[in-house]
Amino acid sequence: MTRPSLDLPWTHVDDLYLDGAWRPALATARLPVVDPATGEEWGSVPDASAEDVEAAMASAVAAFRSGPWPRLSPSERAEVLLRMAEEVEKRAEPLSWTNTRENGSPIAETSGAAANAAGILRHVASLAAWLEAEDVRPFPAGGAETVVRREPVGPCVLIAPWNFPINLMVIKLAPALLAGCTVVMKPAESTPLSIRFVVEAAEAAGVPAGVVNLVTGGGAVGEALVRHPDTAKVAFTGSTPVGRRIGAACGELLKPVTLELGGKSSAIVLEDADLDAMAKVLVRSSMRNTGQTCYISTRILAPASRYDEVVEMVTATIAAGKQGDPFEPDTVFGPLATRAQRDVVLGFLEGAAAEGARVTTGGAAVDGPGFFVQPTVLADVTPSMTVAREEVFGPVVSVLRYETLDEAIALANDTSFGLGGLVFSSSPQRALEVAERMDTGSVGLNFFASNHAAPFGGRHDSGLGVEYGVEGLSAYLTFKSIHRRV
Ligand code: NAD
């Protein structure tokens, strides 16, 4: 396999970013960083101690209480975000290579990570005008008015998973910064290095000391940050069980929390769907990032009249995607990000076979080093099978059969989740009508993408609150109403 010839600046590190500088961690415990394509340990980071967590929070609290950042105007902070966007873009290549080496995402995916982060920073910067707009509301009965102030909520804890370590942190960091908050970021234990390029970009852009802090570690570190008395808000992306636990802690402690959790989304194929067009977007909408994407539609609901045709198209399209070294530019499917995730996916495949699903391509682990599972299509999946109900988070799609449109919509809505979804149809109006009946946070018509300007979030077990847009920015604000006589 071709490994990066580029010297990656960060491999084995013993520091955390606190109070505006990289400082040695107090912890002696360490966490390995493993290349999922080879199984080789190529880096390691501190597993932060309680003292490290305390120091990171103290830094964020001091910068919030007495530093310049919350006192700048939104436009002044936006200027810094725009500079940060440029600084992230300058680091695109080592960021992408580090990301691919951490989690095995194909380089074709991670090579866009810096540009995506820069796009988020620029869009959020453009919301400064909304944030600072004068907001005065007359009392409906007259005689007085209220000045509504949008203030930063305080020091925030940002916790991300391993599948998109840059995007899922930057969609929290950018609005938190524009709002005037300070942050402590905790990336996932398997992807702790690539986010350092974002920290570096913040420093180079002139974000003041203490505003952005980075600690590394596992769930215990995340939990200590969530429960810290000075944490004013928690933003979390990750699994539903961990999200529930964080939500319970935040409920008990009365801290605002945003939870972006798991999904089990459906693509409803209508009878008039253009299957050639669907084939072109299928990998991205149903198996993006080797199936490790929260919103992908891994249940394809096909009309009985076209079931065999849909199974054939899905099978041929997935089978044609090259699997291999994620550093090869034409690789479509890499390994799973961790050994544990590979084992989870193989468990789902065993269960599906036992329950009667028919494998039309893939279906097994790949021999050799690394955590590879073949991209798999399962036909004859019925709604009660485990693989049709639970999030697999791997390269597995199921094709289910429906007789009537009402049945298809009921099937799509028969899940504890509600994150993404798709409708494939040649009729924009019919597709829109179906999308309106789907009980989910986002739906794509013949394609799926998230829009930095529009809210993204899940219903039911997929989460609480939204990210992106002014709605996402509002999660980092607290409101003050100042009433005066007129
Ligand atoms: P995970 O829940 O195991 O871990 C996510 C993060 O939470 C990690 O940083 C982890 O260290 C931390 N953590 C673990 N226990 C914690 C605790 N008790 N308190 C505080 N922090 C804790 O998730 P994962 O396996 O890394 O990621 C995969 C999951 O993320 C999938 O379920 C996927 O659907 C979900 N996800 C959701 C979205 C979304 O936007 N809805 C996006 C991407 C991924």
Side-chain angles (χ1 to χ4, degrees), residues 375-411:
T376 301
V377 177
L378 300 173
D380 301 339
V381 173
T382 58
S384 62
M385 289 183 188
T386 308
V387 75
R389 311 198 68 80
E390 293 184 16
E391 183 182 48
V392 176
F393 226 57
V396 181
V397 292
S398 302
V399 190
L400 288 80
R401 186 190 308 262
Y402 72 82
E403 300 288 342
T404 65
L405 184 56
D406 285 348
E407 186 193 348
I409 293 167
L411 272 176

Side-chain angles (χ1 to χ4, degrees), residues 123-148:
H123 174 70
V124 170
S126 78
L127 302 179
W130 174 82
L131 191 52
E132 62 200 1
E134 176 88 336
D135 186 353
V136 181
R137 306 183 196 184
F139 275 59
E145 65 183 13
T146 302
V147 181
V148 179

Side-chain angles (χ1 to χ4, degrees), residues 93-117:
E93 193 175 46
L95 179 155
S96 146
W97 287 30
T98 302
N99 185 161
T100 289
R101 212 159 183 214
E102 284 173 333
N103 71 355
S105 288
I107 200 83
E109 177 73 63
T110 62
S111 58
N116 175 274

Side-chain angles (χ1 to χ4, degrees), residues 159-163 168 186-189 217-219 222-223 226 236-239 242 245-246 260-263 294 391 393 419 456:
I159 301 178
W162 40 258
N163 54 338
L168 293 172
K186 197 208 77 69
E189 39 278 65
E223 184 135 354
V226 166
F236 171 80
T237 299
S239 61
V242 173
R245 191 178 164 100
I246 291 176
E260 299 290 350
L261 310 177
C294 53
E391 183 182 48
F393 226 57
L419 189 57
F456 172 83

Side-chain angles (χ1 to χ4, degrees), residues 56-65 152-158 176 180-184 210-211 213 225 228-234 255 476:
M57 285 305 305
S59 162
V61 168
F64 188 75
R65 292 206 182 131
V153 68
C156 300
V157 164
L158 315 182
C181 297
T182 60
V183 307
V184 177
V211 173
N213 303 277
L225 288 166
H228 194 283
D230 289 325
T231 298
K233 184 228 161 36
V234 177
K255 293 182 199 292
Y476 297 90

Side-chain angles (χ1 to χ4, degrees), residues 218-310:
V221 173
E223 184 135 354
L225 288 166
V226 166
R227 290 192 161 271
H228 194 283
D230 289 325
T231 298
K233 184 228 161 36
V234 177
F236 171 80
T237 299
S239 61
T240 297
V242 173
R244 245 184 240 293
R245 191 178 164 100
I246 291 176
C250 290
E252 179 195 327
L253 299 167
L254 293 180
K255 293 182 199 292
V257 61
T258 312
L259 301 172
E260 299 290 350
L261 310 177
K264 188 75 194 177
S265 305
S266 295
I268 303 182
V269 183
L270 301 190
E271 281 190 339
D272 65 355
D274 175 346
L275 296 192
D276 291 337
M278 182 176 165
K280 292 197 175 75
V281 301
L282 184 74
V283 169
R284 198 168 174 86
S285 59
S286 290
M287 223 186 257
R288 183 176 180 189
N289 200 25
T290 318
Q292 299 161 109
T293 305
C294 53
Y295 59 69
I296 50 176
S297 292
T298 54
R299 299 193 301 180
I300 296 173
L301 311 184
S305 60
R306 299 189 72 188
Y307 186 78
D308 292 342
E309 214 187 323
V310 172

Side-chain angles (χ1 to χ4, degrees), residues 443-479:
V443 191
L445 309 184
N446 296 318
F447 89 115
F448 195 97
S450 39
N451 172 354
H452 301 167
F456 172 83
R459 299 180 180 181
H460 315 298
D461 289 356
S462 291
L464 208 58
V466 294
E467 297 188 303
Y468 289 133
V470 288
E471 294 83 357
L473 173 59
S474 300
Y476 297 90
L477 299 173
T478 184
F479 297 90

